[in-house]
Amino acid sequence: MKSIADIKAIRERMQSQIIMRDNSDSDEIRVVVGMATCGISAGARPVYNAFIDEIAKRNLANVKVTRTGCLGMCKLEPIVEIYVPNKEKVTYCHLDAEKAVNIVVNHLVNGNVCTEYLVNNEE
Amino acid sequence: MRELSLNILDIAENSLKANATLITIDVLAKDNLLTIKITDNGSGMDSEFLSRVEDPFTTTRSTRKVGMGIPLMKMISEMSGGTFSVQSEKGKGTVVTSTYLIDHVDRPPLGDIAQTLISLIGNLNDCDLIFNFEAFDTQFRLNTQEVKEELDGIPLDEPQILIFLRDMINENIKTNFRGVSL
């Protein structure tokens, strides 16, 4: 059974990666998940967890996943905003865990926006 | 909300917004009663706001006039034969306590508490979180302060750390026992 003591091993494995990252703050990609009551009840939590899983799996050191409150479009939740440096913000809606994985692969890794999930489609 | 864990996530968000530096989440099952208590040391509410906090048309937001988090959790408690209360003092913090009859047909499952906890832990910033779990014959306690000490400078919100914590929580809690499911 895992305990806090096991963190030491992960820490040692990660320390070198962290040092590399400190030098490259400017190319940080931000993934912002809407997690107010509306987002949570629509399924934002599995979406958040899917981003965490896929980013860890692919060892993407320059991606940060954060949360925000209600973005004012409750019926389009779960909503996620992607901020890539020097690019326009991209807003996705009606996400689920599977779509989140697709966004990591296509958008964050390969730079191709997943146009089928864009919020623009809803307007 | 299909899981009590989702309500926990929702209510604990309020604690973060109230600039708490410590949030304690207690999940305790004893006999037929499940108690969920969320305690923070954030900004708290004055008695006037507290008196109308269970009203869905009360919110701190300025963009809209609806706040569903507290009313939803209260409704679910009462539907499940339990009770709901909010105690708060301006400048000191807030305690949200809800109870549920475990065998009540309308009680939603506790659900994925580990997912809820890492969703919170990933965005704590300078806040700390304590999770206390007591059910059946198990007891588990997680304190992010202790995790941070072990991490020795590595951020708590690293995906690999969050996944480790999620696995650790799942391994250490017991939500099923002799046919009873939380």
Side-chain angles (χ1 to χ4, degrees):
Chain A
M1 209 181 265
K2 290 187 182 67
S3 76
I4 285 189
D6 299 316
I7 287 175
K8 204 177 212 170
I10 312 177
R11 183 181 74 200
E12 277 155 14
R13 199 171 64 221
M14 288 183 71
Q15 232 128 23
S16 56
Q17 302 168 13
I18 303 278
I19 296 163
M20 277 163 53
R21 189 176 329 169
D22 284 344
N23 304 326
S24 56
D25 242 12
S26 57
D27 63 1
E28 183 178 270
I29 296 174
R30 277 197 305 134
V31 175
V32 183
V33 184
M35 278 222 191
T37 308
C38 50
I40 292 169
S41 61
R45 193 189 62 185
V47 168
Y48 178 91
N49 277 263
F51 272 110
I52 295 290
D53 281 324
E54 198 61 21
I55 287 162
K57 194 165 105 190
R58 292 171 181 276
N59 212 357
L60 304 178
N62 64 330
V63 182
K64 191 162 169 54
V65 189
T66 60
R67 291 187 327 249
T68 187
C70 177
L71 297 160
M73 301 180 281
C74 306
K75 67 170 182 151
L76 302 182
E77 294 281 355
I79 298 176
V80 168
E81 296 176 325
I82 311 274
Y83 295 85
V84 178
N86 306 316
K87 295 258 173 73
E88 246 186 272
K89 174 186 84 177
V90 173
T91 306
Y92 293 116
C93 66
H94 288 317
L95 293 187
D96 55 30
E98 195 185 328
K99 291 175 181 175
V101 171
N102 289 340
I103 290 169
V104 173
V105 177
N106 292 309
H107 189 166
L108 307 190
V109 176
N110 292 325
N112 299 318
V113 174
C114 301
T115 49
E116 64 271 39
Y117 314 145
L118 286 178
V119 72
N120 313 42
N121 302 338
E122 300 287 331
E123 286 161 355
Chain B
M1 300 275 182
R2 291 167 298 274
E3 296 177 10
L4 297 175
S5 294
L6 292 173
N7 293 101
I8 295 174
L9 177 57
D10 192 22
I11 301 302
E13 293 276 347
N14 298 341
S15 302
L16 286 173
K17 252 176 262 157
N19 295 317
T21 56
L22 182 64
I23 302 172
T24 306
I25 297 174
D26 296 297
V27 175
L28 315 167
K30 195 162 190 280
D31 302 324
N32 192 30
L33 198 70
L34 174 64
T35 304
I36 294 174
K37 191 161 111 180
I38 300 156
T39 309
D40 73 54
N41 64 351
S43 57
M45 295 172 264
D46 57 39
S47 53
E48 189 276 328
F49 194 87
L50 185 61
S51 69
R52 54 192 177 88
V53 74
E54 292 172 7
D55 178 347
F57 296 102
T58 294
T59 179
T60 50
R61 292 188 305 194
S62 50
T63 44
R64 276 169 303 289
K65 294 198 176 74
V66 182
M68 297 298 284
I70 290 274
L72 272 174
M73 196 170 192
K74 179 181 158 81
M75 184 189 78
I76 294 167
S77 291
E78 291 175 351
M79 260 168 38
S80 317
T83 57
F84 183 86
S85 75
V86 185
Q87 292 157 288
S88 188
E89 200 177 327
K90 191 90 187 154
K92 293 220 166 140
T94 302
V95 185
V96 177
T97 312
S98 58
T99 65
Y100 310 81
L101 295 183
I102 291 171
D103 66 0
H104 200 288
V105 66
D106 288 325
R107 181 184 64 85
L110 178 63
D112 199 331
I113 187 74
Q115 266 204 13
T116 279
L117 289 168
I118 70 149
S119 305
L120 288 165
I121 292 170
N123 286 268
L124 283 176
N125 297 318
D126 292 328
C127 183
D128 276 299
L129 187 143
I130 294 175
F131 172 59
N132 278 316
F133 182 90
E134 278 174 45
F136 313 120
D137 55 349
T138 57
Q139 212 173 5
F140 175 66
R141 184 183 161 92
L142 177 76
N143 183 346
T144 56
Q145 187 63 46
E146 292 165 10
V147 178
K148 281 180 192 163
E149 279 165 22
E150 283 295 324
L151 282 171
D152 192 24
I154 291 186
L156 195 58
D157 60 1
E158 283 296 328
Q160 291 176 39
I161 303 295
L162 294 176
I163 290 169
F164 169 80
L165 293 175
R166 192 177 61 201
D167 292 343
M168 183 173 84
I169 295 161
N170 278 329
E171 283 179 17
N172 281 278
I173 64 172
K174 191 193 269 181
T175 55
N176 275 297
F177 189 65
R178 291 187 182 153
V180 180
S181 209
L182 290 185

